[in-house]
Amino acid sequence: MRTLSLPLALTARISPVVVLAAAGWVLTSGPAATPATQKESAPPSADQPSSDGGASAAATTKRYSAAPAPCGSIGAATIKSLVPGAKTAGKEIPSTDPALRRTCSWNALKGYDYRWLDVSFEITESEAEAAKSYKENITAKSGGGTVPGVGDAGYSVVNLTTEDKQQTREGVVMIQASNALVTVTYNGSDFESKKAPATDEINKGAIKAAKEAVAALESGQKA
């Protein structure tokens, strides 16, 4: 039997082991690695909102007191569209402080096409703290573009990773909404062609999920 492992950048996120019996392929979990990565800019848009004299007021602003249920933040139709074959209920990742940090993940392999999506909510002590973390996060993931009209500030970046000739394209969308941070990660691979989905497909999918996640945050419990 021939064995093929998922790219290491993906395997750390997949549990339990998925077996493709028909094709004779075995996908196993493993430690994350740092493969060759190509930065891809998201479509440019309006400039991010700047911080100014309102910083002192923002420092004490705390609109949200708890993270919403992450697995209910994305609609079933969106899950079926972005992650074909995945259970729409998702799987919540254990957190040391579920009141402040909650994450849900969906992944599925349909035929040879693999998709993975997660959404994460983090509640900080103030709007200023959230804004600081947001700026640090987007600086660490340079090469993207702003996402207007969602929360107080939004950013999207798409990267292409190639390992053992297998491509994986991953989009990350980060949103700051008052004292909350919402992060959506969406990626995909085709294990037959070894090609990755188009940049536009991944970018738009991640942004769509982010918009729904922020809407769920805004409609939930507030401080």
Side-chain angles (χ1 to χ4, degrees):
M1 180 177 71
R2 188 161 61 92
T3 301
L4 175 66
S5 296
L6 283 172
L8 293 180
L10 293 179
T11 56
R13 298 168 178 152
I14 302 175
S15 179
V17 174
V18 182
V19 180
L20 298 181
W25 291 3
V26 180
L27 310 180
T28 60
S29 298
T34 307
T37 302
Q38 174 184 343
K39 294 281 187 178
E40 297 181 339
S41 297
S45 57
D47 293 337
Q48 300 172 25
S50 59
S51 57
D52 48 29
S56 59
T60 59
T61 301
K62 185 177 180 181
R63 186 178 184 189
Y64 301 104
S65 59
C71 293
S73 65
I74 309 296
T78 298
I79 296 301
K80 291 178 181 178
S81 172
L82 298 183
V83 194
K87 294 181 179 180
T88 56
K91 179 180 180 181
E92 184 160 357
I93 308 303
S95 171
T96 55
D97 192 344
L100 301 181
R101 297 178 184 84
R102 297 183 72 176
T103 300
C104 188
S105 179
W106 299 262
N107 66 78
L109 185 67
K110 188 172 184 180
Y112 296 101
D113 287 328
Y114 174 75
R115 295 291 185 277
W116 182 81
L117 170 73
D118 81 10
V119 57
S120 176
F121 295 94
E122 180 179 356
I123 306 300
T124 68
E125 286 299 317
S126 68
E127 184 174 322
E129 183 179 333
K132 181 176 181 293
S133 294
Y134 170 81
K135 290 177 181 178
E136 291 173 350
N137 291 339
I138 67 173
T139 298
K141 291 185 175 292
S142 61
T146 57
V147 179
V150 187
D152 297 317
Y155 180 82
S156 174
V157 63
V158 180
N159 292 332
L160 177 66
T161 300
T162 302
E163 184 175 334
D164 295 331
K165 298 182 180 180
Q166 173 65 61
Q167 294 182 344
T168 299
R169 185 164 272 117
E170 179 171 280
V172 179
V173 175
M174 293 172 280
I175 306 293
Q176 180 214 340
S178 187
N179 64 307
L181 296 169
V182 180
T183 303
V184 168
T185 306
Y186 179 49
N187 67 39
S189 300
D190 184 322
F191 294 111
E192 183 174 36
S193 68
K194 292 188 174 294
K195 300 297 183 181
T199 300
D200 196 50
E201 176 186 341
I202 293 297
N203 189 56
K204 287 183 176 179
I207 291 174
K208 178 178 176 61
K211 288 180 177 179
E212 291 190 18
V214 173
L217 172 72
E218 293 175 343
S219 65
Q221 182 180 0
K222 300 177 182 178

